[in-house]
């Protein structure tokens, strides 16, 4: 049952979980792979893009990526789509009905949960989708299993004609470990698309007939899970035993090497008999699952006695330290006795900042200067505008939400807010993902909202991937590039309300924003400069601060460019007796790319072109100059 | 350290400093010697100036990918405040190797937080073995800021459960196909790091 494929390579690879999934897709002879970027799953498609035998794409959102994979599966081909946890919310509409149809070619959805919230807006547990959609869930615990289980997912999908969910977490995706790949799948001759409206056309009459079949499949999958060698007992002490899935298995082995373990690799449907048999011989049984007490509720309903979230947290990673603390009832460290632990003073935080010369800097500098606004934000690098020094973002919920939320802020306004200007800020990729519909809702419903559409021609937040605004596809080939002014006009924005501005030209940006927020209509201000991380960006001659001209006003610091550093502070007493803080600055010319943005904020014109490159850090701490 | 146990190396610094490359080289070296290796990164949004740590664990069999507080054998810190932040991860007999070249983030620059007065001295109160020197200055003396990475690897080369020459070879392998000058420069940087670690 579920025999793993034989090892093909003698040499071991050292790869991340994401790369292991991509290698599995290659070796499983996947024909189509689609995804929308999202941490921690992004690299899966980036690796797959290098395999010439797989058609791969960046889709505009996760729902479309799943639909593409569904089409390929119905055409008889193996198909994979990958996404971060919240992406599956977007794709779920397709998933919840596709499960009635099932799969023809193997259909595998790889979903990556951001346990620990390293870069996400929530920490939801994707295993719920397995229950909701009646599909099997596989949970690899390391790189090797990320490969093996993805291979097996395709076999399972075809054998039981079901989509299969492979659930990864950040500590699988981004951990590098050893991998031995296995012999590639043998190519099988497929029949191609076979018309079958009763199965493929989900109208009520047809769907009704498919539901009982799905329930039957549940029963078959349950026996498959019972028999699967992915669910395996490692017999140890009968004093203490664990039921565990995913990377938490590694943490359990680390913390309690002597304990008995039932490791669930094929965790849904839960192999109840196997679990019951295991539980009978264990004195203290603990269920370790990241994040929610999902299996716990199912097992308790079956009358299986165990401890779970009554002692373990339902947030974050269940690392050895967390396990020990919960299980032994004190904050024990793994090996170092608490008396020998070190306590130091708190070190300052290093919150992420926008890049030096980022095109969003000018937008947030401007937004921070406009009064009486409610700024409805969205998800991308521009979400950082909520932080220092701009503090110019009032909401951020989910991809594309800035539009609808702005409309609600406008229509739901109380008298107290009658003079407030509602502004929505969204990036190009997020706009194409889920923002277009929101904009149409704004125009259709006659909103009074000014939209800032920050078109930096890339998905900056996830590492600068291409999007339909880039004119380049996943493979780096030329393709269409969205014409945003035309697009927003087609969505009902009046010609005279559409403006394209250069975000480095502060006066124009400020004037356009001020004028448009005064008009009771939907306006769209589109910025047109690229993300500095992409090849489209060209650095110019760096600038420096003429020390003798700098009056310490600190205005340039409000731009928020990380290349501008305070060199000294002074407190002066003004003629009227009040005190004023001065901050004199210099520019790290080794980092500055000469975007000129800060120049416009400097009254005394102290910011001038630099002839030699001075590293701010080097200059500060070593007094060294490096000639360029 | 004996090879039956797991060796834990924590590399800490800031996005863009080469933390991940250093961890990658350490991992490859351990792997070439037949160890089981795991490496995990904790990088908020690495390219944007955040804290980056990379955990490298190797031994006969490695389970958990991350190093818990009080368990690191070696802490390689590319920046002194980061060294102080992560010193809590050292075990009592662990060793810290610190680049004293400071990088202050914008929140310090604009005055919201203070930079610790003397991170290295504070670390030494922990009774762990601390070696500290200005690898940034050394790199500039040798002619290139980017040599910090090689210098720091050289500095820890004598703290590992394998021969320093093995690590050196895998560092230099990266420059094999580049210019002879670059190869020699990195060789020099590696040795300079080794010497500096012994003297400080
Ligand atoms: C449903 C969903 N999918 C993916 C992501 C990951 N993600 C965060 S921001 C972002 C897009 C950012 O691109 P863009 O709007 O162009 O802004 P930029 O970062 O380039 O400024 C993505 C894909 C997410 N948070 N939610
Ligand atoms: S990645 Fe691009 S969009 Fe994001 S902060 Fe950097 S320059 Fe700006
Ligand atoms: S010109 Fe000013 S704002 Fe632009 S990169 Fe240089 S320091 Fe930063
Ligand atoms: S805006 Fe000009 S004068 Fe004011 S601190 Fe900056 S460089 Fe100095």
């Amino acid at each position: 049952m579920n025999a793993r494929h034989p090892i093909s390579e003698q040499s071991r690879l050292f790869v991340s979980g994401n790369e292991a999934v991509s290698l599995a897709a290659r070796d499983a002879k996947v024909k189509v792979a689609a995804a929308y970027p999202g941490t921690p799953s992004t690299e899966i498609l980036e690796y797959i893009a290098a395999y010439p035998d797989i058609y791969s794409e960046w889709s505009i959102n996760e729902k479309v990526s799943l639909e593409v994979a569904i089409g390929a599966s119905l055409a008889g081909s193996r198909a994979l789509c990958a996404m971060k946890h919240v992406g599956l919310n977007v794709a779920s509409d397709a998933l919840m009905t596709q499960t009635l149809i099932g799969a023809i070619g193997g259909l595998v959805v790889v979903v990556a949960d951001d346990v620990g919230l390293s870069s996400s807006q929530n920490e939801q547990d994707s295993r719920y989708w397995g229950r909701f959609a009646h599909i099997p869930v596989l949970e690899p615990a390391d790189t090797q299993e990320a490969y093996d289980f993805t291979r097996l997912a395709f076999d399972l999908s075809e054998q039981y004609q079901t989509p299969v969910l492979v659930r990864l977490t950040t500590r699988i995706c981004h951990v590098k470990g050893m991998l031995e790949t296995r012999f590639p799948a043998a190519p099988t001759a497929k029949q191609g698309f076979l018309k079958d409206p009763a199965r493929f056309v989900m109208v009520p009459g047809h769907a009704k007939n498919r539901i009982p079949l799905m329930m039957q499949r549940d029963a078959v999958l349950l026996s498959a899970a019972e028999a699967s060698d992915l669910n395996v007992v490692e017999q140890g002490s009968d004093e203490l035993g664990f039921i565990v899935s995913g990377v938490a298995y590694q943490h359990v082995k680390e913390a309690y090497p002597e304990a008995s373990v039932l490791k669930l690799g094929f965790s849904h449907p839960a192999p109840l008999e196997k679990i019951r048999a295991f539980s009978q011989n264990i004195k203290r049984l603990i269920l370790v699952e990241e994040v929610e007490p999902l299996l716990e509720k199912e097992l308790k309903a079956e009358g299986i006695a165990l401890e779970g979230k009554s002692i373990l947290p339902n947030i974050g990673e269940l690392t050895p330290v967390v396990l020990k603390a919960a299980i032994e009832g004190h904050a024990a460290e793994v090996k170092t006795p608490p008396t020998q632990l070190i306590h130091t003073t708190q070190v300052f935080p290093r919150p992420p900042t926008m890049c030096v010369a980022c095109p969003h800097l000018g937008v947030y500098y401007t937004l921070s200067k406009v009064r009486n606004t409610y700024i409805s934000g969205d998800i991308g690098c521009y979400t950082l505008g909520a932080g220092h020094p701009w503090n110019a973002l009032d909401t951020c919920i989910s991809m594309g939400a800035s539009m609808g939320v702005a409309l609600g802020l406008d229509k739901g306004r109380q008298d107290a807010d009658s003079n407030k200007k509602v502004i929505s800020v969204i990036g190009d990729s997020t706009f194409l993902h889920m923002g277009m519909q929101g904009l149409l809702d704004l125009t259709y419903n006659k909103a009074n909202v000014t939209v800032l559409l920050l078109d930096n021609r890339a998905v900056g937040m996830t590492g600068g991937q291409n999007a339909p605004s880039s004119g380049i596809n996943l493979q780096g080939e030329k393709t269409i590039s969205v014409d945003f002014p035309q697009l927003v006009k087609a969505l009902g924005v009046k010609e005279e309300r559409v403006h394209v501005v250069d975000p480095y030209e502060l006066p124009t940006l400020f004037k356009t924003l001020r004028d448009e927020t005064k008009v009771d209509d939907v306006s769209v201000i589109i910025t047109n400069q690229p993300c500095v991380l992409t090849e489209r960006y060209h650095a110019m001659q760096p600038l420096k601060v003429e020390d003798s001209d700098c009056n310490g006003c600190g205005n340039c610091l409000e731009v928020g460019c990380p290349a501008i550093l305070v060199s000294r502070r002074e407190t002066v007493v003004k003629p009227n007796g009040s005190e004023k803080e001065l901050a004199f600055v210099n520019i790290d010319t080794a980092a500055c790319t000469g975007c000129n943005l800060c120049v416009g904020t400097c009254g005394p014109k102290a910011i001038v072109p630099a002839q030699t490159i001075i590293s701010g850090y080097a200059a500060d701490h070593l007094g060294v100059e490096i000639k360029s | 350290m004996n090879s039956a146990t797991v060796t834990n190396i924590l590399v800490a610094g800031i996005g863009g400093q080469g933390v991940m490359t250093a961890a990658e080289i350490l991992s490859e070296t351990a792997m070439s010697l037949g160890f089981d290796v795991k490496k995990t990164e904790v990088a908020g949004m690495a390219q944007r100036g955040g804290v980056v740590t990379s955990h490298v664990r190797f031994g006969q069999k490695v389970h958990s990918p991350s190093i818990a507080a009080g368990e690191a054998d070696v802490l390689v810190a590319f920046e002194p405040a980061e060294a102080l932040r992560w010193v809590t991860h050292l075990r009592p007999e662990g060793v810290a190797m610190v680049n004293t070249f400071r990088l202050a983030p914008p929140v310090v620059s604009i005055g919201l937080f203070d930079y610790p007065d003397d991170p290295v001295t504070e670390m030494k109160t922990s009774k762990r073995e601390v070696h500290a020197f200005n690898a940034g200055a050394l790199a500039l003396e040798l002619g290139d800021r980017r040599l910090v990475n090689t210098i720091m690897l050289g500095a820890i080369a004598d703290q590992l459960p394998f021969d320093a020459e093995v690590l050196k070879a895998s560092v230099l392998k990266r420059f094999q196909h580049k210019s002879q000058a670059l190869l020699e420069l990195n060789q020099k940087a590696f040795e300079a790091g080794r010497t500096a670690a012994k003297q400080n």
Side-chain angles (χ1 to χ4, degrees):
Chain A
M1 186 65 238
N2 297 324
R4 295 179 205 195
H5 304 262
I7 302 280
S8 69
E9 287 176 44
Q10 286 310 308
S11 69
R12 297 185 303 169
L13 304 173
F14 184 62
V15 296
S16 67
N18 280 344
E19 188 168 3
V21 169
S22 78
L23 288 162
R26 178 197 70 183
D27 294 346
K29 296 275 160 39
V30 164
K31 193 153 177 165
V32 169
Y36 178 72
T39 312
S41 67
T42 311
E43 299 82 5
I44 295 174
L45 257 278
E46 294 182 321
Y47 287 120
I48 289 182
Y51 306 136
D53 293 341
I54 303 181
Y55 165 81
S56 57
E57 67 164 51
W58 285 134
S59 309
I60 63 143
N61 66 32
E62 294 86 354
K63 179 166 181 283
V64 174
S65 77
L66 177 55
E67 290 156 353
V68 170
I70 287 171
S73 166
L74 298 185
S77 298
R78 287 189 160 187
L80 173 144
C81 69
M83 58 196 66
K84 71 183 289 170
H85 57 342
V86 284
L88 196 45
N89 303 343
V90 177
S92 64
D93 197 16
L95 180 69
M96 292 302 290
T97 300
Q98 179 58 25
T99 185
L100 296 176
I101 295 173
I104 306 297
L107 177 60
V108 174
V109 179
V110 179
V111 62
D113 285 3
D114 192 7
V115 176
L117 281 110
S118 74
S119 66
S120 302
Q121 62 268 40
N122 74 20
E123 200 192 32
Q124 65 186 54
D125 188 334
S126 295
R127 296 174 307 153
Y128 273 107
W129 290 112
R131 276 78 177 166
F132 204 7
H134 297 256
I135 59 176
V137 179
L138 306 187
E139 294 187 67
D142 61 17
T143 298
Q144 184 68 48
E145 290 188 351
Y147 176 91
D148 289 344
F149 289 15
T150 305
R151 290 287 305 268
L152 286 169
F154 284 100
D155 299 347
L156 278 175
S157 174
E158 286 171 4
Q159 188 177 353
Y160 301 105
Q161 303 205 0
T162 176
V164 175
L165 201 65
V166 176
R167 190 239 194 174
L168 309 176
T169 54
T170 305
R171 285 278 184 231
I172 298 292
C173 296
H174 287 168
V175 170
K176 279 196 171 189
M178 302 296 169
L179 175 67
E180 290 173 316
T181 56
R182 297 170 187 278
F183 281 109
T188 49
K190 294 274 171 55
Q191 283 172 307
F193 183 74
L194 293 177
K195 292 188 188 219
D196 187 356
R199 179 171 175 194
F200 297 163
V201 182
M202 282 298 97
V203 291
H206 294 166
K208 224 176 266 173
N209 298 331
R210 298 295 303 177
I211 294 172
L213 296 176
M214 180 176 75
M215 302 299 177
Q216 281 169 25
R217 188 182 70 200
D218 281 346
V220 178
L221 286 169
L222 177 59
S223 1
E226 293 284 4
S228 172
D229 68 0
L230 269 54
N231 297 328
V232 52
V233 172
E234 294 173 12
Q235 204 61 56
S237 130
D238 48 13
E239 292 294 320
L240 181 64
F242 291 92
I243 301 171
V244 60
S245 63
V247 74
Y249 163 79
Q250 308 294 354
H251 301 320
V252 165
K253 293 295 278 186
E254 183 87 29
Y256 297 100
E258 69 296 334
S260 291
V261 176
L262 169 54
K263 177 176 181 300
L264 298 179
F266 186 163
S267 66
H268 175 77
L272 294 172
E273 290 320 311
K274 218 175 224 177
I275 293 169
R276 206 185 298 280
F278 176 74
S279 68
Q280 254 135 33
N281 306 318
I282 305 290
K283 287 216 183 81
R284 186 175 185 195
L285 181 62
I286 298 169
L287 172 59
V288 181
E289 48 186 337
E290 289 176 343
V291 175
E292 299 241 20
L294 195 53
L295 198 52
E296 181 174 342
K297 285 184 182 156
E298 294 174 357
L299 298 186
K300 284 188 170 161
E302 288 290 323
I304 299 170
L306 45 77
E307 291 169 88
K309 297 296 178 181
S310 58
I311 53 169
L312 292 165
N314 54 4
I315 173 176
E317 297 179 73
L318 302 179
T319 59
V321 175
V322 173
L323 290 175
K324 285 260 180 187
I327 292 166
E328 285 152 41
H330 61 81
E333 298 297 336
V334 178
K335 281 173 196 144
T336 307
T339 50
Q340 293 203 36
L341 279 176
I342 307 165
H343 300 280
T344 59
T345 50
Q346 275 257 302
V347 177
F348 55 79
R350 286 189 197 266
T353 58
M354 290 191 211
C355 300
V356 169
C358 171
H360 301 336
L361 292 173
V363 173
Y364 277 98
Y365 177 79
T366 307
L367 283 171
S368 70
K369 302 289 173 205
V370 182
R371 290 186 200 293
N372 283 322
T373 55
Y374 286 142
I375 303 172
S376 171
D378 225 300
I379 304 198
C381 290
Y382 41 86
T383 316
L384 295 169
H388 288 295
W390 319 281
N391 302 309
L393 197 94
D394 299 315
T395 64
C396 167
I397 297 144
S398 59
M399 297 274 291
S402 61
M403 306 276 168
V405 170
L407 181 61
L409 283 170
D410 175 28
K411 301 291 182 189
R413 68 173 82 213
Q414 307 272 328
D415 289 345
D417 292 334
S418 56
N419 70 337
K420 290 288 198 267
K421 300 156 187 148
V422 181
I423 297 172
S424 155
V425 186
I426 187 166
D428 51 330
S429 177
T430 301
F431 183 75
L432 297 173
H433 175 282
M434 207 47 100
M436 289 189 281
Q437 296 87 336
L439 180 60
L440 186 56
D441 212 65
L442 290 181
T443 55
Y444 178 57
N445 295 306
K446 305 181 180 179
N448 179 10
V449 171
T450 304
V451 177
L452 275 161
L453 173 44
L454 310 186
D455 178 17
N456 62 7
R457 307 266 127 184
V459 196
M461 187 79 181
T462 48
Q465 289 77 15
N466 292 318
S469 48
S470 316
I472 299 172
N473 67 12
L474 172 58
Q475 280 73 25
E477 301 157 351
K478 274 207 154 134
T479 178
I480 62 107
S481 169
V482 173
D483 181 337
F484 281 110
Q486 291 296 349
L487 177 60
V488 302
K489 279 185 249 172
L491 290 170
V493 184
K494 297 189 189 90
E495 172 108 43
E496 63 273 24
R497 299 271 74 82
V498 180
H499 302 272
V500 178
V501 298
D502 179 336
Y504 296 101
E505 286 183 11
L506 290 176
T508 321
L509 190 58
F510 188 79
K511 183 175 184 311
T512 314
L513 186 65
R514 199 189 49 201
D515 293 350
E516 288 307 317
T517 50
K518 284 185 186 152
V519 182
D520 183 357
D521 203 345
V522 179
S523 309
V524 179
I525 303 170
I526 305 167
T527 65
N528 65 356
Q529 293 299 321
C531 168
V532 305
L533 289 187
T534 60
E535 281 172 11
R536 266 180 214 90
Y537 183 77
H538 302 292
M540 288 167 292
Q541 188 185 10
L543 307 185
K544 67 171 182 182
V545 175
E546 207 60 79
D547 202 38
S548 51
D549 294 337
C550 174
N551 65 16
C553 69
N555 284 351
C556 54
L557 288 168
E558 289 168 27
V559 166
C561 175
I564 307 175
L565 304 164
V566 176
S567 51
R568 69 196 151 90
R569 290 179 190 279
E570 265 177 35
T571 310
V572 290
V573 184
K574 292 205 284 196
N576 66 6
S578 66
E579 286 195 350
K580 192 171 186 255
E581 282 284 338
L582 295 181
F584 296 87
V585 305
N586 59 27
I587 288 177
D588 183 349
T589 52
C592 170
T593 56
C595 75
N596 255 13
L597 189 64
C598 55
V599 174
T601 67
C602 179
K605 304 216 178 321
I607 304 176
V608 295
Q611 299 311 320
T612 46
I613 305 293
I614 304 164
S615 158
Y617 300 132
D620 280 357
H621 304 291
L622 304 164
V624 186
E625 278 196 14
I626 317 164
K627 298 269 183 215
S628 63
Chain B
M1 275 177 262
N2 71 65
S3 60
T5 59
V6 171
T7 301
N8 296 323
I9 306 175
L10 184 63
V11 192
I14 296 142
Q17 281 194 301
V19 166
M20 306 216 193
T21 313
E24 189 76 22
I25 292 173
L26 286 165
S27 305
E28 280 169 12
T29 313
M31 195 182 124
S32 70
L33 294 169
F35 290 109
D36 184 24
V37 187
K38 275 190 183 151
K39 169 171 113 56
T40 183
E41 256 100 44
V42 184
M45 282 162 258
Q47 65 227 167
R48 287 179 279 275
V51 178
V52 183
T53 57
S54 188
H55 302 220
V56 178
R57 308 194 68 210
F58 59 89
Q60 294 302 318
K61 174 75 195 161
V62 179
H63 285 293
S64 180
S66 25
I67 302 170
E71 289 217 342
D73 297 293
V74 181
L75 167 66
V76 196
F78 282 60
E79 204 276 346
E82 292 313 308
L84 183 60
R85 190 192 308 281
W86 296 104
V87 70
T88 49
H89 271 57
L90 274 182
R91 47 200 292 160
E93 57 285 12
V95 177
M97 195 59 66
V98 186
N99 174 9
T100 57
F101 191 91
R102 295 182 177 203
L103 298 178
V107 289
V108 169
S109 182
I110 62 178
L112 292 175
F113 292 90
D114 290 327
Y115 196 97
D117 290 337
D118 189 352
V120 173
T121 305
E122 192 177 342
M123 284 175 77
K124 285 183 177 160
T125 63
S126 73
K127 301 207 174 60
R128 265 56 170 183
E129 185 179 335
V130 179
H131 301 265
F133 63 96
N134 194 333
L138 198 54
L140 287 170
E141 260 169 48
L142 290 167
D144 194 330
R145 259 175 140 182
R146 287 166 300 184
L147 289 169
V148 167
N149 203 316
T150 304
I151 294 172
M152 291 308 285
L153 286 170
I156 60 159
D158 294 299
Q159 307 291 344
L160 303 172
F162 45 75
D163 200 81
E165 292 302 320
V166 184
L167 182 61
K168 186 170 165 186
S170 51
V171 171
L172 297 181
K173 211 170 79 189
R174 300 228 152 194
F175 301 98
Q176 230 165 35
H177 303 291
K178 307 220 173 108
S179 72
Q180 182 64 24
L182 206 58
L183 188 79
E184 280 166 17
L185 198 57
N186 275 277
Q187 195 157 7
K188 243 167 91 184
F190 190 90
E191 289 306 333
R194 266 182 96 175
T195 312
K198 282 180 194 135
Q199 291 167 351
N200 292 279

